[in-house]
């Protein structure tokens, strides 16, 4: 249930982020808040998932889960860095593409985590 709620929040925030990138030529506090919202949700998801994977009952999928969480955490850091760069260089098309790609990576790793646990 926790994972599903967090996933819904991540998807909504990513959709907001992508919409803002398409509609705007400048990126200010609202954009920063959206990126920060995504990274906070993902950080929390990674922390809680690691605690869950540490339980004895999770031994069957612990190794694969930890690899997914590492990838997710890295994608999250990348998103945060790219979001900051976007505020400083709002006209960069390649930066927009990399930011969109990074947000899709987050969604992909969350989907992998859900598939592993189901």
């Amino acid at each position: 249930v926790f994972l599903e709620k967090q996933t819904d929040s991540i998807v909504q925030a990513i959709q907001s982020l992508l919409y803002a990138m398409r509609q705007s030529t400048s990126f200010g506090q609202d954009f920063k808040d959206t990126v920060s919202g995504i990274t906070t949700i993902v950080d929390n998801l990674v922390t809680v998932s690691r605690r869950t994977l540490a339980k004895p009952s999770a031994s069957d999928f612990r190794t694969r889960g930890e690899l997914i969480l590492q990838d997710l955490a890295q994608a999250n850091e990348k998103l945060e860095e790219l979001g900051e760069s976007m505020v400083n260089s709002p006209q960069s098309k390649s930066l927009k593409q990399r930011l969109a790609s990074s947000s899709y990576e987050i969604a992909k790793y969350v989907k992998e985590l859900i598939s592993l646990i189901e």
Side-chain angles (χ1 to χ4, degrees), residues 48-66:
V48 171
S49 296
R50 282 195 169 128
R51 272 191 248 137
T52 301
L53 289 174
K55 294 179 180 179
S57 60
S59 63
D60 291 344
F61 50 89
R62 181 176 299 128
T63 302
R64 178 70 186 128
E66 189 54 43

Side-chain angles (χ1 to χ4, degrees), residues 68-79:
I68 294 169
L69 291 175
Q70 287 174 3
D71 289 340
L72 181 58
Q74 288 175 350
N76 197 38
E77 288 175 21
K78 183 177 174 184
L79 180 74

Side-chain angles (χ1 to χ4, degrees), residues 19-112:
Y19 179 78
M21 286 174 28
R22 283 192 301 269
Q23 299 300 318
S24 186
T25 56
S26 64
F27 301 95
Q29 192 59 46
D30 287 345
F31 181 80
K32 288 170 100 172
D33 290 346
T34 301
V35 172
S36 178
I38 294 169
T39 59
T40 299
I41 294 167
V42 172
D43 282 341
N44 187 34
L45 177 72
V46 168
T47 299
V48 171
S49 296
R50 282 195 169 128
R51 272 191 248 137
T52 301
L53 289 174
K55 294 179 180 179
S57 60
S59 63
D60 291 344
F61 50 89
R62 181 176 299 128
T63 302
R64 178 70 186 128
E66 189 54 43
L67 291 173
I68 294 169
L69 291 175
Q70 287 174 3
D71 289 340
L72 181 58
Q74 288 175 350
N76 197 38
E77 288 175 21
K78 183 177 174 184
L79 180 74
E80 187 171 29
E81 291 169 7
L82 291 170
E84 191 63 39
S85 295
M86 182 61 81
V87 171
N88 298 326
S89 301
Q91 302 302 322
S92 173
K93 185 175 180 175
S94 68
L95 191 55
K96 283 183 179 181
Q97 290 171 338
R98 291 187 354 239
L99 187 63
S101 178
S102 182
S103 64
Y104 287 123
E105 280 183 3
I106 287 174
K108 178 182 83 169
Y109 294 130
V110 169
K111 184 178 178 181
E112 283 182 35

